[in-house]
Amino acid sequence: MMKIACISGITGQDGSYLAKLLIENNYKVIGLVRSYNNLNYENFKYLGINNKITLEECDLLDFSSIINILIKYSPTEFYNLAGQSSVGGSFEQPIGTINFNTQSILNILESVRLLKLDTRIYQASSSEMFGEVKVLPVNETTPLHPLSPYAISKASGYWIGINYRESYNLYCVNGILFNHESYLRRPNFFIKKVIRTSLEIKNGSNKILHVGNIDIKRDFGYAPDYVMAMWLSLQQDIPDDYLICSGESIYLRDIIKYVFDYLGISHDKLFVDKTLFRPTEIKDMYGDNTKARVSLKWEYTKSFYNVLDILIEEEIINFKG
Ligand code: NAP
């Protein structure tokens, strides 16, 4: 029988790559969108999946809206990827971020519980939940100390997932993903912004790259490989939580240097703008992906310079100036 997967946040980077992966694996994919009005089909078109998804309007803050979808499709798997996904944006919209990112997963789990469905649920958790860490690399047992409204919302969603698993035996998995990038990343995110702006500087349509604190380190990976881990995590007999990361961190300053050198841009085109610094910032963060590699048989071998090469080349091909 054909497997049915619901994906919330399907228009985003991960939702689009995951939809492609599931379609290739013969799933019927139901994409949940907040509204048909102003729906952005660009990512679907880019991946060639535009007419292969069934789209449904679903307000994840409205319990009955989710119940209706679950009754209509009885999905085998439900990937909850919708969310206000920007850490910086969460300082500007703390209430909206915390409300949406926690209430949505609670509504989904409660709906599945009340309808007594066997649906397997994936919750998009984040490495940001760890925040202030004493020991690196972090792993699945590292205590959480979130440092932003976004991180607090994700920590809350993570514990809600665990609580429904332990209290009601629901199949719920937390994928604790570290930063992962692709051509489909939204333009306000650091690496996409660096590459786009660098291309604009190169063609003369921009003069300078404005950035916030770049003397911090992060663990970055490649989004198409990370959605594979999401799917694998729902194929296990027993639900569990998995950390998905590359295993090493890199200075944001070194990323800019690499992109500038790749494109032949002078280093004086960089401006560090202290007004863009966040109120609190994680200095360094990288994870240990042993559990995902051993238990999920997830394979990840790309260095972040490999990923940067892919991202720069893809951006050059699609750059319209
Ligand atoms: P993304 O590109 O920003 O996509 C976010 C998705 O959520 C979009 O489809 C967006 O819909 C939807 N959304 C946002 N606010 C919503 C709201 N109020 N109501 C309904 N839908 C809403 O994010 P992503 O990179 O694919 O990430 C997917 C998930 O993984 C997110 O929950 C994110 O927090 C989490 N995560 C991402 C990373 C990463 O590095 N990418 C790392 C850890 C965790 P619209 O198109 O309508 O705006």
Side-chain angles (χ1 to χ4, degrees):
M1 213 167 68
M2 191 181 221
K3 285 186 172 180
I4 299 175
C6 283
I7 304 178
S8 73
I10 193 157
T11 52
Q13 167 186 266
D14 291 4
S16 303
Y17 276 112
L18 178 66
K20 182 169 189 282
L21 175 74
L22 297 182
I23 289 164
E24 285 166 357
N25 282 280
N26 298 319
Y27 279 69
K28 179 178 174 65
V29 173
I30 315 299
L32 307 184
V33 296
R34 40 179 146 182
S35 166
Y36 293 135
N37 297 330
N38 303 320
L39 190 59
N40 185 355
Y41 293 93
E42 289 308 311
N43 288 353
F44 304 157
K45 285 190 199 150
Y46 187 75
L47 296 181
I49 55 171
N50 196 20
N51 298 316
K52 299 180 180 163
I53 302 164
T54 304
L55 293 174
E56 291 277 5
E57 265 184 352
C58 179
D59 178 358
L60 297 173
L61 297 182
D62 174 13
F63 195 54
S64 58
S65 186
I66 300 171
I67 295 261
N68 283 334
I69 294 290
L70 292 177
I71 290 174
K72 186 168 176 186
Y73 293 105
S74 293
T76 332
E77 294 164 16
F78 192 124
Y79 296 86
N80 182 37
L81 309 184
Q84 196 298 98
S85 63
S86 157
V87 176
S90 78
F91 284 104
E92 283 150 31
Q93 297 176 8
I95 298 166
T97 303
I98 290 175
N99 279 354
F100 182 81
N101 289 2
T102 56
Q103 184 77 54
S104 50
I105 180 62
L106 182 57
N107 282 345
I108 293 163
L109 287 161
E110 187 62 4
S111 305
V112 169
R113 180 180 84 83
L114 290 176
L115 292 173
K116 299 187 173 30
L117 295 175
D118 292 330
T119 306
R120 296 183 170 196
I121 298 155
Y122 174 91
Q123 165 62 5
S125 293
S126 164
S127 58
E128 290 289 327
M129 303 186 307
F130 295 117
E132 182 86 31
V133 289
K134 296 197 169 53
V135 182
L136 287 170
V138 297
N139 64 25
E140 288 80 357
T141 63
T142 301
L144 308 184
H145 183 149
L147 288 179
S148 66
Y150 170 80
I152 291 167
S153 75
K154 287 294 181 182
S156 175
Y158 164 87
W159 281 114
I160 292 169
I162 292 176
N163 184 248
Y164 271 72
R165 193 166 73 210
E166 292 177 346
S167 305
Y168 307 114
N169 216 14
L170 253 63
Y171 192 114
C172 181
V173 166
N174 281 297
I176 308 167
L177 270 61
F178 283 58
N179 300 73
H180 46 283
E181 309 298 313
S182 74
Y183 176 71
L184 300 187
R185 195 63 145 143
R186 290 180 192 246
N188 55 319
F189 282 86
F190 177 77
I191 289 172
K192 181 85 176 176
K193 174 180 154 181
V194 169
I195 299 175
R196 272 260 183 103
T197 308
S198 300
L199 285 171
E200 288 165 5
I201 293 170
K202 197 173 164 65
N203 86 347
S205 61
N206 207 332
K207 288 194 168 49
I208 207 112
L209 172 66
H210 282 257
V211 291
N213 188 358
I214 51 173
D215 294 312
I216 56 174
K217 296 177 87 180
R218 290 288 182 275
D219 180 331
F220 288 99
Y222 189 48
D225 293 340
Y226 281 34
V227 300
M228 171 61 86
M230 293 181 187
W231 176 70
L232 286 170
S233 72
L234 289 198
Q235 312 313 310
Q236 309 306 309
D237 292 338
I238 298 167
D240 204 344
D241 305 322
Y242 301 94
L243 207 133
I244 308 299
C245 60
S246 78
E248 52 190 24
S249 60
I250 175 171
Y251 274 109
L252 303 195
R253 187 178 286 281
D254 288 342
I255 292 173
I256 296 174
K257 183 176 180 312
Y258 188 85
V259 175
F260 273 20
D261 289 348
Y262 194 106
L263 297 172
I265 293 170
S266 161
H267 289 205
D268 63 6
K269 302 289 182 198
L270 171 66
F271 178 69
V272 176
D273 186 344
K274 291 224 157 140
T275 65
L276 297 179
F277 280 34
R278 290 173 185 163
T280 45
E281 189 79 86
I282 302 169
K283 290 189 184 63
D284 188 9
M285 177 72 78
Y286 60 97
D288 175 356
N289 59 20
T290 306
K291 184 174 173 186
R293 282 192 289 107
V294 172
S295 306
L296 302 180
K297 313 241 175 322
W298 179 62
E299 289 172 11
Y300 190 77
T301 51
K302 290 181 179 68
S303 82
F304 195 61
Y305 293 109
N306 298 146
V307 178
L308 275 176
D309 289 346
I310 297 171
L311 299 182
I312 297 168
E313 284 305 316
E314 205 166 342
E315 202 69 45
I316 290 172
I317 290 167
N318 292 291
F319 186 64
K320 295 189 181 73

